[in-house]
């Protein structure tokens, strides 16, 4: 496994990059069971066309973070390039991906990925584009690296467009809290995120699980997606959710338009959480 030196900053927010580096150092995902990690992976990659990627194919993980998804992708492909703007995150990924000889790590912004345009057989970016100053430019840079017809998978925060009005109002209230917490020093907001995980995530998630067992429909129950998740995942995501200063949210329609403008076609969305995961092919 190789690890390149960082490139000059591009389409990144330095404060957001620093915070994510600290997040992955604290939560390197070693506390997530293999079963839970596989379940999460299957959810994110539910619409990815594995059958169209050649066994010797090369692709990229745009914003690899801790390397948790790369660890499950690498055994399926010929070569995987893991790119992240945070050298701290790449330090974690290097440990997570140790022993995988077909992986290389690159510290770079998405608009400075160190491989040729039109050279990649696939690409994916999970939970990254919505934290960029310009998500559209970030996606366009990714698509530029793909061969014609190659698939690109993205996960972009949804705008609760498939939820009732009261649910969106509840999110807006929580976003006021996020904006306040995210401006605090990292140690303080990390501690506050732990409190949120304990007093908000865990009770709501376990409540959803209980009512589901009682035969209730928990589709629109807040944080029901965590009802079968461990506390470690809730703590990780609470830190992710409440401590990130820069966040974009888009509707399914907006994401589709974004992907089309970036040069993708045949766009397909997953109809299951997490929302929204979508895949398209380079035109």
């Amino acid at each position: 496994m190789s690890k390149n030196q960082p490139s000059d900053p591009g389409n990144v927010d330095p404060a957001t990059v620093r915070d994510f580096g600290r997040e992955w150092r604290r939560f390197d995902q070693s506390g997530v069971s293999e079963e839970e990690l596989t379940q999460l992976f299957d959810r994110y990659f539910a619409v990815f066309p594995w059958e169209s990627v050649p066994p010797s194919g090369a692709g990229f993980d745009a914003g690899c973070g801790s390397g948790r998804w790369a660890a499950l992708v690498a055994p399926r492909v010929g070569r995987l390039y893991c790119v992240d703007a945070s050298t701290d995150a790449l330090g974690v990924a290097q440990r997570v991906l140790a022993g995988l000889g077909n992986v290389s790590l690159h510290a770079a912004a998405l608009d400075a990925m160190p491989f040729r345009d039109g050279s990649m057989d696939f690409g994916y970016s999970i939970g990254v584009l919505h934290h960029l100053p310009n998500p559209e430019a970030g996606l366009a840079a990714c698509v530029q690296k793909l061969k014609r017809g190659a698939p690109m998978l993205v996960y972009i925060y949804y705008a609760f467009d498939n939820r009732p009005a009261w649910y969106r109002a509840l999110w807006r209230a929580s976003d006021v809290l996020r904006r306040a917490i995210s401006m605090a020093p990292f140690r303080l907001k990390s501690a506050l995120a732990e409190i949120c995980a304990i007093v908000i995530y865990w009770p709501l998630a376990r409540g959803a699980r209980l009512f589901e067992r009682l035969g209730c429909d928990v589709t629109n129950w807040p944080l029901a997606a965590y009802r079968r998740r461990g506390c470690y995942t809730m703590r990780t995501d609470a830190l992710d959710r409440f401590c990130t200063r820069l966040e974009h949210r888009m509707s399914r329609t907006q994401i589709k338009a974004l992907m089309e403008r970036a040069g993708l076609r045949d766009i397909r969305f997953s109809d299951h959480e997490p929302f929204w995961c979508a895949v398209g092919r380079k035109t």
Side-chain angles (χ1 to χ4, degrees), residues 205-243:
R206 291 301 179 260
R209 187 171 182 177
L210 173 62
F211 277 90
E212 183 180 52
R213 287 177 174 176
L214 295 174
C216 299
D217 180 5
V218 295
T219 301
N220 288 318
W221 184 290
L223 300 176
Y226 293 91
R227 61 192 183 277
R228 296 186 185 87
R229 304 289 171 240
C231 192
Y232 188 96
T233 297
M234 295 184 207
R235 292 168 62 209
T236 303
D237 288 4
L239 182 60
D240 190 307
R241 172 72 184 91
F242 287 101
C243 296

Side-chain angles (χ1 to χ4, degrees), residues 116-209:
R116 297 191 321 275
D117 292 352
S119 63
M120 297 287 108
D121 295 296
F122 69 93
Y124 62 91
S125 185
I126 306 297
V128 176
L129 296 171
H130 47 240
H131 293 308
L132 299 181
N134 188 335
E136 183 168 345
L139 180 56
C142 291
V143 174
Q144 195 171 16
K145 300 301 180 182
L146 297 173
K147 296 177 181 177
R148 180 174 294 182
M152 178 74 198
L153 176 73
V154 300
Y155 163 59
I156 298 175
Y157 280 169
Y158 75 136
F160 305 96
D161 42 308
N162 60 343
R163 302 296 191 185
W166 65 264
Y167 196 109
R168 294 192 293 273
L170 187 62
W171 170 77
R172 284 192 291 270
S174 74
D175 200 51
V176 173
L177 181 62
R178 177 192 68 83
R179 291 173 185 271
I181 292 176
S182 68
M183 300 305 294
F186 185 79
R187 288 188 179 181
L188 174 57
K189 63 185 178 184
S190 180
L192 292 172
E194 292 280 350
I195 294 172
C196 289
I198 294 168
V199 304
I200 300 175
Y201 278 66
W202 194 90
L204 284 172
R206 291 301 179 260
R209 187 171 182 177

Side-chain angles (χ1 to χ4, degrees), residues 10-187:
N11 181 21
V12 297
D13 177 68
T16 299
V17 171
R18 283 195 301 271
D19 282 350
F20 270 109
R22 293 165 179 159
E23 176 181 332
W24 295 127
R25 282 207 312 259
R26 179 165 185 173
F27 294 108
D28 62 5
Q29 304 308 287
S30 59
V32 183
S33 70
E34 184 176 346
E35 179 184 7
E36 182 176 349
L37 194 60
T38 300
Q39 290 173 351
L40 288 167
F41 176 82
D42 289 342
R43 285 276 179 169
Y44 281 112
F45 285 79
V47 292
F48 188 78
W50 291 106
E51 70 284 354
S52 66
V53 177
S56 60
F60 59 87
D61 181 332
C64 67
S66 67
R68 54 179 172 170
W69 309 131
L72 296 172
V73 171
R76 302 171 181 239
V77 301
R79 188 76 185 171
L80 184 63
Y81 297 89
C82 294
V83 181
D84 203 284
S86 168
T87 53
D88 285 336
L90 289 174
V92 176
Q94 191 167 37
R95 296 196 306 271
V96 171
L97 302 171
L100 291 171
N102 65 334
V103 173
S104 58
L105 305 178
H106 305 271
L110 299 192
D111 53 0
M113 293 191 289
F115 29 84
R116 297 191 321 275
D117 292 352
S119 63
M120 297 287 108
D121 295 296
F122 69 93
Y124 62 91
S125 185
I126 306 297
V128 176
L129 296 171
H130 47 240
H131 293 308
L132 299 181
N134 188 335
E136 183 168 345
L139 180 56
C142 291
V143 174
Q144 195 171 16
K145 300 301 180 182
L146 297 173
K147 296 177 181 177
R148 180 174 294 182
M152 178 74 198
L153 176 73
V154 300
Y155 163 59
I156 298 175
Y157 280 169
Y158 75 136
F160 305 96
D161 42 308
N162 60 343
R163 302 296 191 185
W166 65 264
Y167 196 109
R168 294 192 293 273
L170 187 62
W171 170 77
R172 284 192 291 270
S174 74
D175 200 51
V176 173
L177 181 62
R178 177 192 68 83
R179 291 173 185 271
I181 292 176
S182 68
M183 300 305 294
F186 185 79
R187 288 188 179 181

Side-chain angles (χ1 to χ4, degrees), residues 161 250-261 269 276:
D161 42 308
M250 303 180 196
S251 68
R252 177 169 172 158
T253 300
Q254 289 172 325
I255 293 170
K256 185 174 186 290
L258 181 81
M259 294 174 74
E260 290 173 340
R261 289 194 300 271
F269 282 81
W276 293 106

